Amino acid sequence: MLHEKSCGGIVYRKYHGNTEILLIKHINSGHWSFPKGHVEPGESETETALREIKEETGMDVIIDPTFRELVTYSPRKDTEKVVVYFVAMAKKGMPVAQENEIAQVKWVEIDIAANMLAYENDRLIVNKAKKFIH
């Protein structure tokens, strides 16, 4: 069994009295989810999350390590993947999709974000993040 580890974030901002989170649409699969990616040698979980969020969305964020949620799944028959998600507050700026991997980056009202997400694990994370952020 192969083991993979990725880290990412539920990036949020307060906008006109609403809480919005940043979703990405993957080019290959076409599904919406959160920015995340593989841990590189020598990186901490938060360093990975900061780097991947920046690479995939162009956004600088402030990570809150007190929100740390794990999702485990099998992307292939012989592989177990663990993804660590943090809540991350967006700094100023507009998101820009990473050219080769991300089709679209979009701010979505947190209350309707769950409707766009393809996976139940992602919907559960949004609900936990929503309680944490508010």
Side-chain angles (χ1 to χ4, degrees):
M1 177 76 66
L2 296 171
H3 296 278
E4 295 179 1
K5 185 175 183 181
S6 290
C7 298
I10 292 78
V11 178
Y12 76 95
R13 70 176 182 180
K14 300 288 186 173
Y15 189 73
H16 296 298
N18 293 320
T19 301
E20 295 180 331
I21 61 172
L22 196 59
L23 298 182
I24 60 169
K25 186 176 186 180
H26 295 272
I27 286 176
N28 293 339
S29 63
H31 75 274
W32 289 94
S33 67
F34 315 113
K36 70 176 184 319
H38 289 94
V39 176
E40 291 183 358
E43 272 186 333
S44 70
E45 291 176 347
T46 54
E47 287 169 339
T48 299
L50 285 168
R51 178 181 52 76
E52 287 291 342
I53 291 165
K54 179 73 170 178
E55 286 177 6
E56 293 188 351
T57 70
M59 296 295 294
D60 289 311
V61 299
I62 300 167
I63 287 187
D64 186 336
T66 61
F67 180 96
R68 183 181 178 276
E69 288 291 327
L70 297 178
V71 173
T72 305
Y73 65 97
S74 293
R76 293 172 299 284
K77 221 188 290 188
D78 64 340
T79 306
E80 181 183 74
K81 183 165 187 166
V82 174
V83 183
V84 179
Y85 287 110
F86 299 99
V87 162
M89 186 176 67
K91 294 181 182 180
K92 300 260 183 272
M94 291 301 294
V96 177
Q98 183 182 25
E99 227 174 90
N100 302 336
E101 291 183 34
I102 310 301
Q104 194 177 352
V105 180
K106 184 175 186 176
W107 287 110
V108 179
E109 217 305 310
I110 198 165
D111 290 327
I112 62 169
N115 299 331
M116 294 176 65
L117 297 166
Y119 299 110
E120 182 62 24
N121 283 337
D122 289 350
R123 291 190 284 275
L124 293 172
I125 295 282
V126 166
N127 287 331
K128 288 180 181 180
K130 186 174 153 181
K131 291 174 187 157
F132 185 86
I133 293 165
H134 288 304

